[in-house]
C-alpha cells in the first residue's frame, strides 16, 4: 500500500478517528445489541461521523448471545445501510483481522469509513443464571448456529477433556518452566512479579473490571488454583459486561469531517501467523515458533522496531502468553514501558474475543494524548493464532494483510497408547471448591510423536503439584479412547 503520492499523503490512507469503550458493573445490564449501538454511536460521534454514513460495519463474535442477524440488527438500529458487513469467528485475534480488513478496504477505495465493534454481557448472563431466570434478549437465532470456532478440538483432546484454555495454557506453562530449569515456587513468584504492575495499570483505568492494585505477594497467596499452576487472580476474567468500538476512515473523509490531525492514529503495519492448532503438536511445547516471525513482519511493514515503541500491550489471557511474547521479542517482563496499557485480561477484563478492541482503543487514546508509536498484540485459540499491529500518530509504513507469514508444522499426535512415556507438560484441574479433580498430561512417546493422558488417583495429583513432573517417565494404560497415566 502507498501512503504517499508525489510527496503528498494518499487520500485513501486509512486512519483511526473514533474510539469508545463501556464497562457495565451493575447487573443485569444491557444486552450486546444495545451495547453495540451505544459504543457505535459514541465512536462515530468521536469521529464526527453521522452513524448513517458508515460504509462498513463489522462486529466481533459475541459469546453472550446468538442473534439472527448481528450486523443487520445493529445497522437497523443505527439507521445505516453499509455496503460492507462482516461478523467474525471466535478468536482473540478477531478484532485485528476486522480492523485490518477495514483498513485494507479503505486503502483500496472500496469504502471510506468503517466501524468495528464488539460487546459481551457475560456477567449479566451469569446474574440471570444465578437468579434462575432466562435471558430476555432480542432477536435470537433460530435455529441456533454452531459455535463460531474455525476448527473444533482434536478428537484426542476432546477424549481427554483438554479443551479449556485454563488447562491448555497451563500445560505450556509447565513445559516452559521445566525447559528453563525453574522450580515451581520460582515460576509462581516470577509470574506474580510480572503481573502485579498490570494491576496498577488496571486500577488507573476507568474501564477496567478489576480496579484494585495488588502486590506480588498478594498474587502469590491470594486465591485458589483453577488449572494448576494458575490461580484465579492471574488468569483472564471472562464474565464481564464490556463493549468497545473504533471508527476508521480515509484521510480524505477525515479531512472533510474536520478531524484534527492529532486525533488521527495510523495502522503502520500488522501481521498474522500460526503455531499448531493442537497444543500437543508443538515441537517445543513451551515456546512459539510463530511469534518471532509475526513480530518481525509487523515491524518491517511499519518501518519501525521494538525500541521505537512508546507503549506496548501484549495479549495476557494467561502468563504463558506474556512470557512467550517476551521470549520471542527479547523483552524484559519488568521493563519500564510495561506490558499493558489497559491492565490486561485478568484485571481490565477479558471479554471473550473482544479484548483487542479495548487495547486498540486505549492505545489510540494514549497516542492521541502523547503521540508516538505503540504495539498491540492478539492471541487466538490455544496460543495458536498471533497478530501484531503497530499503531502510530504518524502515517507511514505499509499495512500488510491476513495472509499468514508463518504456519508451524506439528509433531504427530497418537490417540490411544499403552506403555511407557515421558511427561512433556501437564496441569491439574481444580473445581470451584478449590479441590484437585484430575490431571491432564501431554507425553512424549518412545517412537516419536505425542499423546494425552489423564491422571485420576488423588495421591498422584498431590505429587504432581509438589514436584516437577516434566521429564518423568510414566506408564499409560488405555481403553482405546482415553489414556490413563500412573507412576
Amino acid at each position: 500500500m502507498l501512503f504517499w503520492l508525489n510527496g503528498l499523503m494518499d487520500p485513501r490512507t486509512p486512519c483511526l478517528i473514533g474510539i469508545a469503550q463501556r464497562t457495565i458493573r451493575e447487573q443485569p445490564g444491557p444486552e450486546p445489541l444495545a451495547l453495540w449501538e451505544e459504543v457505535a454511536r459514541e465512536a462515530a460521534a468521536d469521529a464526527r461521523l453521522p452513524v448513517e454514513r458508515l460504509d462498513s460495519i463489522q462486529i466481533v463474535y459475541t459469546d453472550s448471545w446468538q442473534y439472527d442477524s448481528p450486523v443487520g440488527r445493529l445497522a437497523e438500529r443505527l439507521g445505516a445501510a453499509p455496503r460492507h458487513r462482516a461478523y467474525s469467528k471466535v478468536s482473540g485475534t478477531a478484532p485485528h483481522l476486522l480492523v485490518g480488513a477495514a483498513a485494507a478496504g479503505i486503502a483500496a477505495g472500496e469504502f471510506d469509513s468503517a466501524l468495528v465493534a464488539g460487546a459481551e454481557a457475560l456477567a449479566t448472563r451469569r446474574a440471570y443464571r444465578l437468579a434462575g431466570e432466562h435471558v430476555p434478549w432480542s432477536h435470537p437465532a433460530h435455529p441456533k448456529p454452531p459455535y463460531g470456532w474455525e476448527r473444533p478440538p482434536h478428537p484426542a483432546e476432546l477424549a481427554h477433556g483438554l479443551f479449556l484454555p485454563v488447562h491448555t495454557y497451563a500445560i505450556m506453562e509447565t513445559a516452559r518452566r521445566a525447559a528453563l530449569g525453574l522450580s515451581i515456587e520460582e515460576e509462581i513468584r516470577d509470574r506474580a512479579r510480572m503481573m502485579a504492575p498490570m494491576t496498577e495499570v488496571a486500577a488507573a483505568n476507568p474501564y477496567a473490571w478489576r480496579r484494585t492494585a495488588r502486590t506480588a505477594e498478594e498474587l502469590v497467596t491470594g486465591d485458589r488454583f483453577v488449572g494448576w499452576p494458575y490461580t484465579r487472580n492471574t488468569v483472564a476474567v471472562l464474565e464481564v459486561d464490556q463493549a468497545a468500538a473504533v471508527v476508521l476512515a480515509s484521510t480524505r473523509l477525515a479531512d472533510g469531517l474536520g478531524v484534527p490531525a492529532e486525533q488521527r492514529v495510523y495502522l503502520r503495519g500488522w501481521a498474522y501467523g500460526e503455531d499448531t492448532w493442537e497444543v500437543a503438536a508443538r515441537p517445543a511445547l513451551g515456546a512459539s515458533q510463530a511469534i518471532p516471525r509475526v513480530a518481525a513482519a509487523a515491524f518491517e511493514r511499519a518501518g519501525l522496531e521494538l525500541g521505537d515503541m512508546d507503549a506496548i500491550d501484549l495479549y495476557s489471557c494467561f502468563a504463558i502468553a506474556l512470557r512467550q511474547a517476551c521470549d520471542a521479542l527479547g523483552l524484559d517482563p519488568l521493563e519500564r514501558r510495561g506490558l499493558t496499557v489497559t491492565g490486561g485480561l485478568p484485571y481490565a477484563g477479558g471479554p471473550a474475543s473482544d479484548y483487542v478492541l479495548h487495547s486498540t482503543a486505549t492505545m489510540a487514546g494514549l497516542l492521541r494524548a502523547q503521540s508516538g508509536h505503540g504495539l498491540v498484540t492478539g492471541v487466538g485459540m490455544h496460543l495458536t493464532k498471533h497478530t501484531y499491529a503497530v499503531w502510530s500518530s504518524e502515517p507511514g509504513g505499509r499495512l500488510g494483510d491476513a495472509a499468514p507469514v508463518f504456519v508451524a508444522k506439528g509433531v504427530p499426535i497418537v490417540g490411544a497408547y499403552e506403555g511407557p512415556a515421558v511427561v512433556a507438560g501437564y496441569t491439574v484441574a481444580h473445581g470451584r471448591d478449590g479441590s484437585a479433580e484430575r490431571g491432564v498430561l501431554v507425553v512424549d512417546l518412545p517412537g516419536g510423536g505425542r499423546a494425552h493422558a489423564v491422571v485420576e488417583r488423588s495421591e498422584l495429583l498431590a505429587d504432581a503439584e509438589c514436584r516437577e513432573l516434566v521429564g518423568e517417565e510414566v506408564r499409560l494404560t488405555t481403553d482405546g479412547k482415553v489414556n490413563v497415566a500412573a507412576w
Side-chain angles (χ1 to χ4, degrees), residues 408-482:
K409 296 181 179 179
V411 300
I413 296 175
V414 176
Y417 172 80
E418 188 153 340
V422 174
V423 178
Y426 69 105
T427 186
V428 177
H430 282 243
R432 289 187 177 273
D433 63 356
S435 63
E437 294 183 334
R438 64 185 176 88
V440 185
L441 313 181
V442 170
V443 297
D444 291 317
L445 303 182
R450 295 232 178 85
H452 303 85
V454 297
V455 180
E456 298 173 335
R457 289 161 47 186
S458 58
E459 71 274 16
L460 296 182
L461 297 179
D463 184 48
E465 292 185 349
C466 290
R467 66 183 181 90
E468 183 59 78
L469 197 62
V470 174
E472 290 290 309
E473 184 172 302
V474 297
R475 184 161 190 85
L476 272 56
T477 58
T478 186
D479 63 4
K481 293 183 179 180
V482 178

Side-chain angles (χ1 to χ4, degrees), residues 96 268-275 288-309 312-314 324-331 374-378 385-391 398-399 403-406:
H96 268 158
R268 289 277 296 246
W270 74 287
Y272 168 79
E274 295 179 0
D275 281 301
S288 169
Q289 292 182 312
I291 291 175
R293 276 87 165 185
V294 174
F299 286 129
E300 187 274 329
R301 290 167 178 174
L304 297 166
E305 298 177 352
L306 180 63
D308 297 319
M309 298 300 102
I312 297 170
D313 194 276
L314 301 181
Q324 285 194 1
C326 288
D327 291 346
L329 293 170
L331 187 66
L375 172 67
V376 175
T377 79
K385 304 167 72 175
H386 305 278
T387 47
Y388 275 58
V390 177
W391 292 91
R398 55 192 178 91
L399 284 177
V405 297
F406 176 81

Side-chain angles (χ1 to χ4, degrees), residues 187-397:
E187 183 280 312
I188 291 173
R189 292 197 172 275
D190 282 356
R191 185 193 332 151
R193 283 192 290 269
M194 176 176 66
M195 301 186 85
M198 297 169 63
T199 71
E200 297 174 5
V201 176
N205 177 3
Y207 301 110
W209 190 254
R210 294 173 172 168
R211 299 191 63 200
T212 303
R214 303 289 186 188
T215 66
E217 191 61 30
E218 286 174 321
L219 294 181
V220 168
T221 61
D223 216 335
R224 61 178 174 84
F225 289 114
V226 281
W228 185 90
Y230 288 147
T231 51
R232 190 176 61 170
N233 59 7
T234 60
V235 302
V237 52
L238 186 65
E239 290 181 324
V240 298
D241 282 12
Q242 293 182 318
V246 299
V247 170
L248 292 93
S250 66
T251 297
R252 173 176 51 214
L253 179 58
D255 289 343
L257 295 171
V259 178
E262 62 269 18
Q263 187 175 322
R264 307 180 192 189
V265 180
Y266 299 89
L267 181 58
R268 289 277 296 246
W270 74 287
Y272 168 79
E274 295 179 0
D275 281 301
T276 63
W277 285 74
E278 293 78 27
V279 170
R282 306 279 158 89
L285 199 56
S288 169
Q289 292 182 312
I291 291 175
R293 276 87 165 185
V294 174
F299 286 129
E300 187 274 329
R301 290 167 178 174
L304 297 166
E305 298 177 352
L306 180 63
D308 297 319
M309 298 300 102
D310 298 287
I312 297 170
D313 194 276
L314 301 181
Y315 202 85
S316 54
C317 50
F318 300 92
I320 187 64
L322 289 167
R323 285 165 161 164
Q324 285 194 1
C326 288
D327 291 346
L329 293 170
L331 187 66
D332 181 353
L334 302 179
E335 74 114 58
R336 60 171 182 80
R337 288 170 293 185
L339 304 182
T340 179
V341 296
T342 67
L345 286 86
Y347 312 110
S353 297
D354 197 37
Y355 171 78
V356 166
L357 266 186
H358 292 265
S359 54
T360 297
T362 303
M363 182 66 77
L366 188 153
L367 294 177
R368 285 178 175 182
Q370 68 179 40
S371 73
H373 315 296
L375 172 67
V376 175
T377 79
V379 166
M381 305 309 290
H382 304 283
L383 265 177
T384 298
K385 304 167 72 175
H386 305 278
T387 47
Y388 275 58
V390 177
W391 292 91
S392 179
S393 58
E394 304 170 4

Side-chain angles (χ1 to χ4, degrees), residues 78-114:
L78 295 176
R83 70 185 80 170
H84 175 260
R85 306 175 181 214
Y87 187 63
S88 81
K89 293 289 188 179
V90 173
S91 177
T93 59
H96 268 158
L97 299 180
L98 295 183
V99 167
I106 291 168
E110 297 170 3
F111 42 81
D112 266 352
S113 63

